[in-house]
Amino acid sequence: MGLEGEATAAVHGHRLSTVVPSSVTEVEGYELGDADLAFRLHYLRGVYYYAAGEVVRGVTTKVLKDPMFPWLDAYYPVAGRVRRPADDAAPAAAEQQQQRGEASRRPYVKCNDCGVRIVEARCERALDDWLRDGAVDRVRLLCYDKVLGPELFFSPLLYVQVTNFKCGAMALGFSWAHLIGDVATATTCFNHWAKILGGKTPDAVTVNPRNEPQDRAPADAAVPRSVKPVGPIEDYWFVPAGVDMAGYSFHITEPMLTRLQQQQQQEPAAAGGAFELISALLWQTVAKIRAGKEVKTVTVVRNDMSARSGNSLANEQRVGYVEAGSPPAKTDVPELAALLAKDVVDETAAVVAFPGDVVIYGANLTFVDMEQVDLYGLEIKGQRPAHVEYGLDGVGEEGAVLVQPDADGRGRVVTAVLPKDEAEALRAALGSTLLHPAP
């Protein structure tokens, strides 16, 4: 049995329950914005690891659940379910959309307090061992593997998996439907819950239930180069990539990053920061793995915290593309980094306005900038996560790479979601040169 099989067998005993808001939600419906619907075929998977110790020993499932009731009072749409206006008996949302001349099938979230699913599981491995062996798809094993549909009205928008390790450590795994917010939204939401758990008063939450649809592009609009059209998609919100996809997470330590930066500084074309440099390295490496297949165009998704609207549930990341003039496999890493820093063509408005269903992550090889996202703010009674890693589901076969800070902010954690054979080849290519499995 390989590493992946051993990891799969080690996680078992899943038990499900539900947490709902502590009071009845007065808002009937939460309208999804155009940007929300653009990302509706994608899912965020985030895992927070906590070392064994006195704090974790005292954290029972009940301790974790109790602050979720007021948490969901604030983030009430997260406890709802997706509906289309035609599914209900003439709700107000349907009337409003008809008045605007929109199709009556536009999805929205019915705030019916159906709740968040809690999953309890066990792992027959020690945390250090789990992280050391670099098993492919370990993020997915610690996040409940569900998507929306085919029965949308029964599909939770969030699952929280609590996994207890043999050594006494714990992992919290979040499966978050991207249509209710981007990674910055998700982490802020999770951190809000953690503050309540720690006895603190979290910041006020601003939920705007009226995300007014914007003008859509005409039906014959050109497809943005950042995305791939699919569908139309009905009630099963997942598009298989056509090949088996797998996630591989690894750690770029501070010394490794310093060496990369020193190599970059020796090149006249050098530009950009750690995200651009690491993305360029992965771009070049994947292009080499795909010998004979062009990887000249890549998609870039950026989470810019300075540009947030203040709405607590939102998809406000920027989407664009970069095109290399020469084959990336034969292009120096600093030159590719300079392209990623200077030559991204922003297509956010076109992607949001596009009238059809699209795949964004994996339409091209996609690089996701999580440099500014507060990943380590989810403290359990004062204890910070020892390690955090995020992945994606619903990724197209071109793959996606997420780049985030590590625990001390000086290195980086990278998760690559690629066709399974490429994930194995990437691990071998990087392991034999600069990198090693996380953390």
Side-chain angles (χ1 to χ4, degrees):
M1 184 183 294
L3 291 178
E4 180 184 358
E6 292 176 3
T8 301
V11 181
H12 64 91
H14 298 77
R15 296 192 303 170
L16 274 70
S17 58
T18 301
V19 173
V20 300
S22 64
S23 58
V24 176
T25 301
E26 297 181 359
V27 178
E28 179 183 359
Y30 174 81
E31 293 189 32
L32 297 164
D34 293 334
D36 301 330
L37 294 176
F39 282 86
R40 72 185 175 113
L41 301 179
H42 298 296
Y43 302 85
L44 289 164
R45 314 293 196 203
V47 182
Y48 296 72
Y49 297 92
Y50 298 86
E54 183 177 348
V55 170
V56 171
R57 278 196 299 273
V59 177
T60 63
T61 303
K62 183 180 184 302
V63 168
L64 294 174
K65 281 183 175 181
D66 284 347
M68 290 183 177
F69 298 103
W71 172 47
L72 294 176
D73 282 343
Y75 282 93
Y76 59 87
V78 177
R81 298 292 184 267
V82 173
R83 293 283 197 279
R84 299 183 190 272
D87 296 336
D88 298 309
E95 295 177 7
Q96 293 167 358
Q97 289 174 357
Q98 289 169 359
Q99 290 171 4
R100 292 195 293 263
E102 293 184 42
S104 62
R105 296 287 290 165
R106 182 183 175 94
Y108 73 104
V109 175
K110 185 174 179 62
C111 300
N112 50 12
D113 302 336
C114 286
V116 167
R117 287 282 191 273
I118 309 302
V119 184
E120 300 171 71
R122 295 196 60 79
C123 181
E124 300 304 326
R125 301 268 292 277
L127 177 57
D128 289 346
D129 179 43
W130 176 266
L131 294 174
R132 187 185 304 114
D133 71 13
V136 170
D137 264 349
R138 70 183 182 203
V139 169
R140 183 176 292 177
L141 292 173
L142 299 182
C143 296
Y144 203 62
D145 190 15
K146 290 291 184 180
V147 297
L148 297 178
E151 296 179 311
L152 289 175
F153 46 87
F154 286 141
S155 298
L157 300 174
L158 173 63
Y159 288 83
V160 182
Q161 180 170 323
V162 184
T163 305
N164 292 302
F165 287 83
K166 181 180 180 180
C167 63
M170 178 182 70
L172 296 176
F174 296 88
S175 297
W176 171 273
H178 211 310
L179 86 160
I180 50 173
D182 52 25
V183 67
T185 291
T187 56
T188 301
C189 179
F190 306 153
N191 294 349
H192 185 97
W193 162 63
K195 288 177 181 177
I196 299 174
L197 174 62
K200 300 177 183 177
T201 301
D203 296 334
V205 173
T206 303
V207 174
N208 175 17
R210 298 290 176 226
N211 290 309
E212 297 292 337
Q214 305 300 311
D215 292 334
R216 307 295 282 168
D220 60 352
V223 179
R225 295 185 63 181
S226 306
V227 306
K228 177 183 178 181
V230 293
I233 304 299
E234 293 300 326
D235 288 348
Y236 182 54
W237 290 7
F238 184 76
V239 179
V243 296
D244 289 337
M245 304 295 288
Y248 166 50
S249 298
F250 57 91
H251 188 202
I252 299 181
T253 63
E254 183 182 12
M256 294 173 182
L257 184 57
T258 299
R259 286 198 299 272
L260 274 174
Q261 291 167 335
Q262 289 171 345
Q263 293 168 8
Q264 181 191 34
Q265 291 167 1
Q266 296 171 7
E267 298 288 337
F275 167 72
E276 288 80 13
L277 184 57
I278 293 168
S279 298
L281 174 65
L282 271 290
W283 188 0
Q284 183 196 69
T285 305
V286 171
K288 290 178 179 178
I289 292 171
R290 298 177 183 174
K293 182 180 179 181
E294 290 287 354
V295 195
K296 283 191 173 182
T297 302
V298 298
T299 297
V300 178
V301 177
R302 293 186 183 276
N303 292 276
D304 182 358
M305 301 306 293
S306 66
R308 307 292 294 181
S309 68
N311 190 5
S312 296
L313 294 174
N315 275 286
E316 295 181 337
Q317 63 274 38
R318 311 297 299 177
V319 181
Y321 73 90
V322 174
E323 185 170 13
S326 57
K330 299 179 181 179
T331 305
D332 291 338
V333 168
E335 186 176 340
L336 294 175
L339 290 175
L340 291 164
K342 299 177 180 178
D343 292 351
V344 176
V345 179
D346 191 328
E347 290 193 307
T348 307
V351 170
V352 170
F354 188 71
D357 293 314
V358 297
V359 166
I360 298 173
Y361 302 110
N364 307 304
L365 179 60
T366 305
F367 297 103
V368 184
D369 181 357
M370 296 171 56
E371 293 276 83
Q372 299 180 29
V373 178
D374 182 13
L375 297 173
Y376 286 85
L378 205 166
E379 296 185 0
I380 301 299
K381 293 186 175 295
Q383 180 172 327
R384 293 179 79 241
H387 180 64
V388 177
E389 52 194 22
Y390 266 76
L392 289 165
D393 209 353
V395 174
E397 63 185 38
E398 296 301 314
V401 176
L402 296 82
V403 181
Q404 63 178 72
D406 64 5
D408 61 17
R410 294 192 289 270
R412 296 296 183 271
V413 174
V414 180
T415 299
V417 183
L418 297 168
K420 193 169 184 178
D421 59 339
E422 293 184 4
E424 297 286 359
L426 178 68
R427 176 163 59 179
L430 297 177
S432 65
T433 54
L434 181 64
L435 309 175
H436 61 77

